[in-house]
Amino acid sequence: MRLSAETPLPASVQAPGYDRASQAAGIAHIGIGAFHRAHQAVYTDDAMGAGERDWGIVGVSLRSPGVAAQLNPQDGLYTVSTRSAAGTGLRLIGAVQKVLVAADEPQAVIDAIAASPTHIVSFTVTEKGYLRRSDGTLDLDAAKGPSSLYRFIGAGLSARKAKGLPGLTLLSCDNLANNGAVLKALMRQYLAVEYPVLVDWFDRECRCPATMVDRIVPATTNADRAAIEAELGVRDEGAVVTEGFSQWVIEDDFAGPRPRWEKVGAQLVADVAPYETAKLRMLNGAHSALAYIGLGAGHDYVYQAIADPAIRPLIERLMRDEAAPTIDAAPGQDLAAYADALMDRFANPALDHRLIQIAMDGSQKIPQRWLETLAWHQARGARCSSLEAAIAAWIAFLRSDHPIDDPLADKLRAVAAATDAMQMLFGEGGLIASGWRPEI
Ligand code: CS2
Protein backbone atom coordinates (compact mmCIF):
# COMPACT_ATOMS: atom_id res chain seq x y z
CA MET A 1 0.00 0.00 0.00
CA ARG A 2 1.09 3.58 -0.74
CA LEU A 3 1.34 6.45 1.78
CA SER A 4 -1.53 8.97 1.49
CA ALA A 5 -3.68 11.31 3.59
CA GLU A 6 -5.83 8.29 4.49
CA THR A 7 -2.99 6.13 5.82
CA PRO A 8 -3.01 5.43 9.56
CA LEU A 9 0.47 5.98 10.96
CA PRO A 10 2.35 4.15 13.68
CA ALA A 11 2.50 6.13 16.94
CA SER A 12 6.31 6.42 16.60
CA VAL A 13 5.96 8.65 13.52
CA GLN A 14 5.43 12.37 14.16
CA ALA A 15 2.55 13.74 12.06
CA PRO A 16 1.83 17.35 10.96
CA GLY A 17 0.44 19.35 13.90
CA TYR A 18 -2.05 21.42 11.86
CA ASP A 19 -5.00 21.02 9.55
CA ARG A 20 -3.43 20.56 6.12
CA ALA A 21 -6.63 20.87 4.16
CA SER A 22 -7.33 24.41 5.37
CA GLN A 23 -3.93 25.92 4.41
CA ALA A 24 -3.58 28.15 1.35
CA ALA A 25 -0.33 27.81 -0.61
CA GLY A 26 1.83 30.82 0.24
CA ILE A 27 5.02 29.39 -1.27
CA ALA A 28 5.88 28.12 -4.74
CA HIS A 29 9.17 26.25 -4.67
CA ILE A 30 11.17 25.70 -7.86
CA GLY A 31 13.42 22.63 -7.80
CA ILE A 32 11.74 20.32 -5.30
CA GLY A 33 14.52 17.80 -4.79
CA ALA A 34 15.50 15.91 -1.68
CA PHE A 35 17.27 18.92 -0.17
CA HIS A 36 14.18 21.15 -0.12
CA ARG A 37 12.08 18.34 1.30
CA ALA A 38 14.53 17.78 4.17
CA HIS A 39 15.16 21.50 4.84
CA GLN A 40 12.83 24.39 3.97
CA ALA A 41 9.72 22.19 3.84
CA VAL A 42 10.53 20.90 7.34
CA TYR A 43 10.93 24.45 8.75
CA THR A 44 7.66 25.40 7.06
CA ASP A 45 5.91 22.32 8.43
CA ASP A 46 7.21 23.20 11.90
CA ALA A 47 6.09 26.82 11.48
CA MET A 48 2.56 25.75 10.55
CA GLY A 49 2.66 23.35 13.50
CA ALA A 50 3.52 26.38 15.66
CA GLY A 51 0.45 28.26 14.43
CA GLU A 52 1.60 30.02 11.23
CA ARG A 53 -1.11 29.79 8.59
CA ASP A 54 -1.36 29.49 4.79
CA TRP A 55 2.20 28.53 4.00
CA GLY A 56 1.49 25.41 2.04
CA ILE A 57 4.07 24.71 -0.68
CA VAL A 58 3.39 24.10 -4.37
CA GLY A 59 6.52 22.31 -5.56
CA VAL A 60 7.77 22.68 -9.11
CA SER A 61 10.16 20.44 -11.01
CA LEU A 62 11.45 22.24 -14.06
CA ARG A 63 12.10 19.11 -16.09
CA SER A 64 11.92 15.75 -14.42
CA PRO A 65 8.56 14.15 -13.63
CA GLY A 66 10.20 12.00 -10.91
CA VAL A 67 9.23 13.91 -7.77
CA ALA A 68 5.68 14.60 -9.02
CA ALA A 69 5.27 10.85 -9.56
CA GLN A 70 6.55 10.24 -6.03
CA LEU A 71 4.49 12.84 -4.18
CA ASN A 72 1.24 13.51 -6.04
CA PRO A 73 -0.22 10.02 -5.54
CA GLN A 74 0.66 10.51 -1.83
CA ASP A 75 -1.30 13.80 -1.47
CA GLY A 76 2.06 15.57 -1.25
CA LEU A 77 2.99 13.65 1.91
CA TYR A 78 6.40 12.11 2.51
CA THR A 79 8.61 11.17 5.43
CA VAL A 80 11.93 12.54 6.61
CA SER A 81 14.19 10.03 8.31
CA THR A 82 16.92 11.56 10.47
CA ARG A 83 20.00 9.49 11.14
CA SER A 84 22.66 10.40 13.64
CA ALA A 85 24.92 8.63 16.06
CA ALA A 86 22.25 9.34 18.71
CA GLY A 87 19.64 7.35 16.80
CA THR A 88 17.00 7.68 14.13
CA GLY A 89 13.66 9.46 13.85
CA LEU A 90 10.84 9.40 11.33
CA ARG A 91 8.32 12.15 10.72
CA LEU A 92 5.66 12.94 8.17
CA ILE A 93 5.82 16.30 6.41
CA GLY A 94 2.57 17.90 5.30
CA ALA A 95 3.77 21.26 3.97
CA VAL A 96 3.93 20.23 0.30
CA GLN A 97 0.49 20.27 -1.32
CA LYS A 98 1.34 19.14 -4.83
CA VAL A 99 4.13 19.04 -7.39
CA LEU A 100 3.90 20.55 -10.88
CA VAL A 101 6.20 19.54 -13.74
CA ALA A 102 6.93 22.72 -15.65
CA ALA A 103 7.76 20.89 -18.87
CA ASP A 104 4.28 19.30 -18.91
CA GLU A 105 2.09 22.06 -17.48
CA PRO A 106 3.85 25.39 -17.89
CA GLN A 107 0.70 27.47 -17.45
CA ALA A 108 -0.07 25.83 -14.10
CA VAL A 109 3.38 26.92 -12.89
CA ILE A 110 2.82 30.50 -14.05
CA ASP A 111 -0.63 30.45 -12.39
CA ALA A 112 0.90 29.29 -9.11
CA ILE A 113 3.44 32.12 -9.18
CA ALA A 114 0.68 34.60 -10.05
CA ALA A 115 -1.83 33.30 -7.47
CA SER A 116 -2.84 35.88 -4.89
CA PRO A 117 -2.03 33.74 -1.78
CA THR A 118 1.54 33.22 -3.09
CA HIS A 119 4.01 35.56 -1.38
CA ILE A 120 7.29 33.68 -1.76
CA VAL A 121 8.91 31.82 -4.63
CA SER A 122 11.92 29.89 -3.42
CA PHE A 123 14.58 28.01 -5.36
CA THR A 124 16.88 25.03 -5.07
CA VAL A 125 17.92 24.65 -8.67
CA THR A 126 21.64 23.93 -7.98
CA GLU A 127 24.50 26.18 -9.01
CA LYS A 128 24.08 25.50 -12.72
CA GLY A 129 20.33 26.26 -12.65
CA TYR A 130 21.09 29.99 -12.52
CA LEU A 131 22.41 29.83 -16.09
CA ARG A 132 25.36 32.15 -15.55
CA ARG A 133 28.04 32.67 -18.12
CA SER A 134 31.62 32.44 -16.98
CA ASP A 135 31.70 36.23 -16.46
CA GLY A 136 28.76 35.97 -14.06
CA THR A 137 26.15 37.49 -16.38
CA LEU A 138 23.03 35.66 -17.52
CA ASP A 139 23.28 33.30 -20.48
CA LEU A 140 20.29 34.83 -22.24
CA ASP A 141 19.93 32.08 -24.84
CA ALA A 142 19.72 29.47 -22.10
CA ALA A 143 17.42 31.71 -20.03
CA LYS A 144 14.95 31.85 -22.92
CA GLY A 145 14.92 28.03 -23.04
CA PRO A 146 11.87 26.02 -22.02
CA SER A 147 13.08 24.87 -18.61
CA SER A 148 14.64 28.09 -17.39
CA LEU A 149 13.47 29.44 -14.05
CA TYR A 150 13.60 32.98 -15.52
CA ARG A 151 10.88 32.24 -18.09
CA PHE A 152 8.45 31.12 -15.42
CA ILE A 153 9.23 33.91 -13.00
CA GLY A 154 9.09 36.52 -15.77
CA ALA A 155 5.68 35.29 -16.96
CA GLY A 156 4.42 34.91 -13.38
CA LEU A 157 5.52 38.41 -12.34
CA SER A 158 4.03 39.87 -15.49
CA ALA A 159 0.68 38.19 -14.68
CA ARG A 160 0.83 39.48 -11.09
CA LYS A 161 1.40 43.02 -12.24
CA ALA A 162 -1.44 42.75 -14.77
CA LYS A 163 -3.77 41.55 -12.00
CA GLY A 164 -2.70 44.38 -9.69
CA LEU A 165 -1.18 41.93 -7.18
CA PRO A 166 1.84 42.82 -5.06
CA GLY A 167 5.34 41.57 -5.95
CA LEU A 168 7.07 38.54 -4.50
CA THR A 169 10.02 37.53 -2.41
CA LEU A 170 12.37 35.43 -4.54
CA LEU A 171 14.33 33.27 -2.12
CA SER A 172 17.42 31.53 -3.44
CA CYS A 173 18.34 28.51 -1.31
CA ASP A 174 21.36 27.39 -3.32
CA ASN A 175 25.02 27.24 -2.32
CA LEU A 176 26.16 30.34 -4.19
CA ALA A 177 28.05 33.29 -2.72
CA ASN A 178 25.61 36.23 -2.35
CA ASN A 179 22.80 34.07 -3.67
CA GLY A 180 20.15 36.78 -3.18
CA ALA A 181 22.05 39.53 -4.99
CA VAL A 182 23.10 37.10 -7.74
CA LEU A 183 19.51 36.03 -8.37
CA LYS A 184 18.35 39.63 -8.36
CA ALA A 185 20.94 40.76 -10.91
CA LEU A 186 20.25 37.81 -13.22
CA MET A 187 16.49 38.24 -12.96
CA ARG A 188 16.79 41.96 -13.76
CA GLN A 189 18.95 41.15 -16.76
CA TYR A 190 16.30 38.75 -18.05
CA LEU A 191 13.43 41.18 -17.44
CA ALA A 192 15.30 44.02 -19.13
CA VAL A 193 15.29 41.99 -22.35
CA GLU A 194 12.03 40.05 -22.16
CA TYR A 195 9.78 42.29 -20.03
CA PRO A 196 11.37 45.77 -20.00
CA VAL A 197 8.20 47.36 -18.59
CA LEU A 198 8.50 45.14 -15.50
CA VAL A 199 11.95 46.26 -14.36
CA ASP A 200 10.91 49.25 -12.26
CA TRP A 201 8.00 47.32 -10.79
CA PHE A 202 10.38 44.45 -9.96
CA ASP A 203 12.78 46.84 -8.22
CA ARG A 204 9.96 48.39 -6.20
CA GLU A 205 7.81 45.37 -5.43
CA CYS A 206 10.12 42.37 -5.19
CA ARG A 207 12.92 41.35 -2.83
CA CYS A 208 15.67 38.74 -3.13
CA PRO A 209 17.04 38.03 0.35
CA ALA A 210 20.28 36.09 0.78
CA THR A 211 20.16 32.77 2.59
CA MET A 212 22.55 30.20 3.96
CA VAL A 213 21.07 26.72 3.89
CA ASP A 214 22.66 23.72 5.57
CA ARG A 215 21.65 20.12 5.95
CA ILE A 216 23.41 17.08 4.54
CA VAL A 217 20.92 15.13 2.43
CA PRO A 218 22.28 12.11 0.55
CA ALA A 219 20.27 10.79 -2.38
CA THR A 220 17.62 8.34 -1.12
CA THR A 221 18.36 4.72 -2.03
CA ASN A 222 16.07 1.73 -2.53
CA ALA A 223 17.42 0.29 0.71
CA ASP A 224 16.38 3.51 2.50
CA ARG A 225 12.86 3.26 1.07
CA ALA A 226 12.61 -0.38 2.14
CA ALA A 227 13.74 0.44 5.71
CA ILE A 228 11.24 3.30 5.93
CA GLU A 229 8.45 1.08 4.57
CA ALA A 230 9.18 -1.47 7.28
CA GLU A 231 8.73 1.19 9.96
CA LEU A 232 5.85 3.08 8.36
CA GLY A 233 3.81 0.08 7.27
CA VAL A 234 3.21 1.62 3.83
CA ARG A 235 5.35 2.52 0.83
CA ASP A 236 6.69 6.10 0.69
CA GLU A 237 8.25 6.77 -2.72
CA GLY A 238 9.10 10.35 -1.71
CA ALA A 239 11.04 9.59 1.47
CA VAL A 240 14.20 11.55 2.24
CA VAL A 241 17.05 10.68 4.59
CA THR A 242 19.15 13.26 6.39
CA GLU A 243 21.25 14.10 9.45
CA GLY A 244 19.88 15.54 12.71
CA PHE A 245 21.61 18.91 12.14
CA SER A 246 19.86 21.67 10.22
CA GLN A 247 20.60 25.39 9.85
CA TRP A 248 18.93 28.19 7.91
CA VAL A 249 20.12 31.78 8.05
CA ILE A 250 17.94 34.24 6.14
CA GLU A 251 18.37 37.91 5.38
CA ASP A 252 15.31 39.61 6.87
CA ASP A 253 14.28 41.52 3.75
CA PHE A 254 10.96 40.26 2.42
CA ALA A 255 8.57 41.90 -0.04
CA GLY A 256 5.46 40.85 1.88
CA PRO A 257 4.36 38.36 4.52
CA ARG A 258 6.53 35.38 5.41
CA PRO A 259 6.25 32.45 7.81
CA ARG A 260 7.82 33.21 11.14
CA TRP A 261 10.46 30.57 10.55
CA GLU A 262 12.46 32.03 13.44
CA LYS A 263 9.86 30.45 15.79
CA VAL A 264 11.19 27.06 14.72
CA GLY A 265 14.94 27.57 14.62
CA ALA A 266 15.76 29.62 11.51
CA GLN A 267 17.95 32.70 12.06
CA LEU A 268 16.62 35.92 10.53
CA VAL A 269 19.57 38.31 10.33
CA ALA A 270 20.59 41.60 8.74
CA ASP A 271 23.69 40.13 7.06
CA VAL A 272 23.99 36.52 5.95
CA ALA A 273 27.47 36.91 4.42
CA PRO A 274 29.63 35.65 7.33
CA TYR A 275 27.50 32.48 7.70
CA GLU A 276 27.30 31.88 3.97
CA THR A 277 31.01 32.40 3.44
CA ALA A 278 31.92 30.10 6.33
CA LYS A 279 29.56 27.44 5.09
CA LEU A 280 30.75 27.58 1.49
CA ARG A 281 34.48 27.69 2.23
CA MET A 282 34.55 25.37 5.25
CA LEU A 283 31.71 22.83 4.86
CA ASN A 284 31.33 22.77 1.09
CA GLY A 285 35.05 23.41 0.49
CA ALA A 286 35.92 20.42 2.69
CA HIS A 287 33.18 18.35 1.05
CA SER A 288 34.53 18.87 -2.46
CA ALA A 289 38.07 18.10 -1.27
CA LEU A 290 36.85 14.93 0.45
CA ALA A 291 35.04 13.95 -2.75
CA TYR A 292 38.01 14.17 -5.13
CA ILE A 293 40.71 13.08 -2.70
CA GLY A 294 38.47 10.37 -1.25
CA LEU A 295 37.47 8.93 -4.63
CA GLY A 296 41.13 8.94 -5.65
CA ALA A 297 41.92 6.90 -2.54
CA GLY A 298 39.21 4.36 -3.37
CA HIS A 299 36.53 5.44 -0.89
CA ASP A 300 32.81 5.61 -1.65
CA TYR A 301 31.37 7.54 1.29
CA VAL A 302 32.17 10.73 3.19
CA TYR A 303 32.47 8.94 6.56
CA GLN A 304 35.12 6.63 5.04
CA ALA A 305 37.20 9.44 3.57
CA ILE A 306 37.18 11.49 6.76
CA ALA A 307 38.29 8.43 8.78
CA ASP A 308 41.30 7.90 6.49
CA PRO A 309 44.42 9.01 8.42
CA ALA A 310 45.99 10.25 5.17
CA ILE A 311 43.00 12.51 4.44
CA ARG A 312 41.66 13.68 7.79
CA PRO A 313 44.55 16.04 8.71
CA LEU A 314 44.40 17.62 5.28
CA ILE A 315 40.69 18.41 5.73
CA GLU A 316 41.36 19.80 9.21
CA ARG A 317 44.02 22.09 7.72
CA LEU A 318 41.77 23.13 4.86
CA MET A 319 39.05 24.27 7.21
CA ARG A 320 41.06 25.66 10.12
CA ASP A 321 44.22 27.09 8.53
CA GLU A 322 43.16 27.88 4.98
CA ALA A 323 39.41 28.71 4.94
CA ALA A 324 38.73 30.05 8.45
CA PRO A 325 41.27 32.92 8.37
CA THR A 326 39.60 34.31 5.22
CA ILE A 327 36.23 34.71 6.96
CA ASP A 328 35.17 37.90 8.65
CA ALA A 329 33.16 36.22 11.44
CA ALA A 330 29.94 37.70 12.81
CA PRO A 331 29.85 38.49 16.54
CA GLY A 332 29.44 35.19 18.38
CA GLN A 333 30.29 33.09 15.32
CA ASP A 334 32.94 30.62 16.51
CA LEU A 335 34.76 29.19 13.49
CA ALA A 336 36.86 26.74 15.52
CA ALA A 337 33.70 25.26 17.06
CA TYR A 338 32.16 25.21 13.58
CA ALA A 339 35.10 23.18 12.26
CA ASP A 340 34.76 20.74 15.21
CA ALA A 341 31.06 20.28 14.48
CA LEU A 342 31.75 19.75 10.77
CA MET A 343 34.31 17.03 11.50
CA ASP A 344 31.65 15.21 13.55
CA ARG A 345 29.01 15.65 10.89
CA PHE A 346 31.29 14.31 8.16
CA ALA A 347 32.10 11.31 10.35
CA ASN A 348 28.40 10.39 10.86
CA PRO A 349 28.43 6.64 10.04
CA ALA A 350 24.63 6.50 9.92
CA LEU A 351 24.58 8.60 6.73
CA ASP A 352 25.59 6.95 3.46
CA HIS A 353 26.66 10.15 1.71
CA ARG A 354 28.31 9.24 -1.57
CA LEU A 355 31.45 11.12 -2.59
CA ILE A 356 30.40 10.86 -6.24
CA GLN A 357 27.24 12.87 -5.44
CA ILE A 358 29.40 15.74 -4.15
CA ALA A 359 31.90 15.39 -7.03
CA MET A 360 29.23 16.34 -9.54
CA ASP A 361 29.23 19.83 -11.12
CA GLY A 362 32.72 20.69 -9.87
CA SER A 363 33.07 23.56 -12.35
CA GLN A 364 30.05 25.24 -10.76
CA LYS A 365 31.06 24.61 -7.16
CA ILE A 366 34.83 25.07 -7.00
CA PRO A 367 34.96 28.86 -7.52
CA GLN A 368 33.06 29.73 -4.33
CA ARG A 369 34.31 26.71 -2.38
CA TRP A 370 38.07 26.85 -3.06
CA LEU A 371 39.15 29.69 -5.31
CA GLU A 372 38.08 32.54 -3.08
CA THR A 373 40.14 31.05 -0.25
CA LEU A 374 43.09 30.51 -2.57
CA ALA A 375 42.91 34.05 -3.93
CA TRP A 376 42.81 35.48 -0.39
CA HIS A 377 46.03 33.66 0.53
CA GLN A 378 47.64 34.34 -2.84
CA ALA A 379 47.12 38.06 -2.31
CA ARG A 380 49.12 37.68 0.93
CA GLY A 381 51.85 35.63 -0.69
CA ALA A 382 50.85 32.44 1.14
CA ARG A 383 50.30 28.92 -0.19
CA CYS A 384 47.43 26.55 0.62
CA SER A 385 48.82 23.03 0.62
CA SER A 386 45.46 21.35 1.28
CA LEU A 387 43.59 23.21 -1.43
CA GLU A 388 46.43 22.58 -3.85
CA ALA A 389 46.16 18.86 -3.06
CA ALA A 390 42.42 19.10 -3.62
CA ILE A 391 42.90 20.72 -7.03
CA ALA A 392 45.40 18.04 -8.02
CA ALA A 393 42.84 15.42 -6.94
CA TRP A 394 40.15 17.13 -9.02
CA ILE A 395 42.39 17.00 -12.09
CA ALA A 396 43.14 13.34 -11.39
CA PHE A 397 39.39 12.72 -11.07
CA LEU A 398 38.79 14.40 -14.45
CA ARG A 399 41.42 12.10 -15.95
CA SER A 400 40.01 8.98 -14.30
CA ASP A 401 37.37 6.48 -15.45
CA HIS A 402 34.73 8.04 -13.21
CA PRO A 403 31.76 9.46 -15.11
CA ILE A 404 32.05 13.26 -15.12
CA ASP A 405 28.68 14.85 -14.43
CA ASP A 406 29.33 18.53 -15.10
CA PRO A 407 27.98 21.06 -17.63
CA LEU A 408 31.61 21.67 -18.70
CA ALA A 409 32.47 17.96 -18.75
CA ASP A 410 33.88 17.86 -22.30
CA LYS A 411 35.98 20.96 -21.89
CA LEU A 412 37.26 19.84 -18.50
CA ARG A 413 38.15 16.35 -19.67
CA ALA A 414 40.09 17.78 -22.60
CA VAL A 415 41.94 20.30 -20.42
CA ALA A 416 42.70 17.73 -17.74
CA ALA A 417 44.08 15.27 -20.28
CA ALA A 418 46.83 17.71 -21.24
CA THR A 419 50.11 17.31 -19.43
CA ASP A 420 50.01 20.93 -18.33
CA ALA A 421 46.43 20.68 -17.01
CA MET A 422 47.25 22.82 -13.99
CA GLN A 423 48.46 25.61 -16.26
CA MET A 424 45.49 25.21 -18.61
CA LEU A 425 43.00 25.37 -15.79
CA PHE A 426 44.62 27.97 -13.62
CA GLY A 427 47.19 29.71 -15.80
CA GLU A 428 46.90 32.86 -17.90
CA GLY A 429 44.13 32.38 -20.50
CA GLY A 430 43.07 29.11 -18.78
CA LEU A 431 39.56 28.06 -17.95
CA ILE A 432 39.55 29.85 -14.66
CA ALA A 433 41.17 32.99 -15.98
CA SER A 434 38.45 33.14 -18.60
CA GLY A 435 35.89 34.08 -16.06
CA TRP A 436 36.06 31.89 -13.01
CA ARG A 437 38.45 33.87 -10.90
CA PRO A 438 36.48 35.19 -7.97
CA GLU A 439 36.73 38.79 -6.93
CA ILE A 440 38.22 39.44 -3.54
C1 CS2 B 1 27.47 19.06 -0.96
C2 CS2 B 1 26.25 19.81 -0.46
O1 CS2 B 1 26.77 17.88 -2.87
C3 CS2 B 1 27.45 18.82 -2.45
O2 CS2 B 1 28.09 19.54 -3.20
O3 CS2 B 1 28.63 19.76 -0.59
O4 CS2 B 1 25.07 19.34 -1.01
C4 CS2 B 1 26.16 19.77 1.08
O5 CS2 B 1 25.87 18.47 1.54
C5 CS2 B 1 25.12 20.72 1.59
O6 CS2 B 1 25.40 22.02 1.11
C6 CS2 B 1 25.09 20.72 3.11
O7 CS2 B 1 24.30 21.74 3.59
Side-chain angles (χ1 to χ4, degrees):
M1 217 178 53
R2 192 82 178 265
L3 172 67
S4 79
E6 266 71 63
T7 322
L9 292 178
S12 59
V13 178
Q14 187 192 329
Y18 54 93
D19 177 18
R20 290 185 76 215
S22 64
Q23 307 299 325
I27 300 173
H29 183 80
I30 317 281
I32 181 162
F35 181 77
H36 171 78
R37 283 179 277 154
H39 189 266
Q40 183 184 339
V42 175
Y43 284 93
T44 307
D45 196 68
D46 280 338
M48 287 196 280
E52 299 292 289
R53 287 292 164 260
D54 297 332
W55 293 110
I57 299 170
V58 173
V60 177
S61 296
L62 286 170
R63 272 187 220 96
S64 157
V67 179
Q70 290 169 349
L71 296 193
N72 288 339
Q74 301 182 176
D75 302 312
L77 292 168
Y78 63 93
T79 53
V80 173
S81 166
T82 45
R83 298 189 186 161
S84 62
T88 62
L90 193 62
R91 65 179 278 192
L92 186 71
I93 301 298
V96 177
Q97 298 185 342
K98 63 178 170 191
V99 179
L100 303 172
V101 183
D104 299 339
E105 37 187 347
Q107 191 56 45
V109 174
I110 296 166
D111 292 346
I113 296 166
S116 91
T118 304
H119 298 293
I120 296 170
V121 179
S122 47
F123 304 87
T124 44
V125 292
T126 80
E127 296 85 347
K128 63 177 175 250
Y130 291 84
L131 308 176
R132 288 181 296 174
R133 280 199 299 238
S134 57
D135 64 359
T137 61
L138 184 64
D139 179 342
L140 266 166
D141 290 337
K144 290 177 188 172
S147 55
S148 126
L149 73 91
Y150 302 98
R151 268 182 74 133
F152 290 99
I153 302 300
L157 291 178
S158 173
R160 289 187 78 86
K161 181 168 181 280
K163 291 202 257 180
L165 289 173
L168 292 172
T169 299
L170 304 182
L171 195 65
S172 167
C173 297
D174 281 295
N175 289 318
L176 304 173
N178 304 316
N179 53 11
V182 165
L183 174 61
K184 181 174 183 181
L186 295 168
M187 195 68 230
R188 281 186 99 256
Q189 199 190 329
Y190 179 80
L191 294 177
V193 174
E194 293 292 297
Y195 297 91
V197 295
L198 270 188
V199 175
D200 287 346
W201 182 86
F202 176 74
D203 284 344
R204 246 191 351 265
E205 292 276 329
C206 295
R207 292 286 180 279
C208 303
T211 64
M212 181 276 247
V213 294
D214 189 9
R215 196 167 206 189
I216 294 173
V217 188
T220 312
T221 64
N222 285 333
D224 294 329
R225 287 188 199 97
I228 290 166
E229 183 173 357
E231 187 175 348
L232 203 59
V234 287
R235 182 72 173 175
D236 175 5
E237 295 291 350
V240 288
V241 172
T242 185
E243 61 181 336
F245 181 91
S246 185
Q247 191 179 10
W248 196 12
V249 189
I250 310 166
E251 183 185 3
D252 195 359
D253 179 24
F254 282 69
R258 62 167 177 80
R260 276 178 286 168
W261 283 307
E262 66 273 33
K263 277 169 119 176
V264 293
Q267 296 158 262
L268 273 291
V269 302
D271 183 12
V272 171
Y275 303 96
E276 188 178 50
T277 312
K279 198 253 169 172
L280 287 169
R281 296 183 194 173
M282 293 175 70
L283 188 160
N284 297 117
H287 248 176
S288 289
L290 280 165
Y292 301 121
I293 298 171
L295 287 168
H299 301 298
D300 290 320
Y301 297 105
V302 173
Y303 67 83
Q304 294 171 333
I306 199 69
D308 184 331
I311 300 177
R312 191 181 173 88
L314 190 147
I315 297 298
E316 292 263 14
R317 249 189 351 259
L318 186 158
M319 291 201 288
R320 298 181 198 279
D321 304 338
E322 297 178 5
T326 71
I327 296 154
D328 202 359
Q333 190 185 14
D334 180 343
L335 296 176
Y338 188 54
D340 293 342
L342 291 176
M343 292 303 286
D344 288 346
R345 290 172 63 197
F346 296 156
N348 182 356
L351 219 53
D352 287 339
H353 196 192
R354 286 194 176 275
L355 297 169
I356 198 79
Q357 183 182 344
I358 303 171
M360 154 183 186
D361 288 346
S363 69
Q364 310 294 301
K365 294 174 174 175
I366 283 170
Q368 60 276 17
R369 295 182 180 202
W370 296 348
L371 301 188
E372 293 184 358
T373 301
L374 267 179
W376 188 94
H377 286 281
Q378 236 166 32
R380 287 157 183 80
R383 305 270 313 246
C384 294
S385 62
S386 292
L387 282 174
E388 286 168 23
I391 290 165
W394 182 44
I395 294 172
F397 169 79
L398 295 171
R399 283 177 172 162
S400 75
D401 295 336
H402 287 289
I404 311 295
D405 190 345
D406 192 303
L408 292 185
D410 292 342
K411 230 170 171 176
L412 288 171
R413 226 185 264 109
V415 165
T419 41
D420 57 350
M422 200 72 171
Q423 179 63 23
M424 289 174 72
L425 276 166
F426 293 94
E428 215 173 304
L431 204 53
I432 285 165
S434 69
W436 269 20
R437 195 184 297 281
E439 281 172 27
I440 283 285

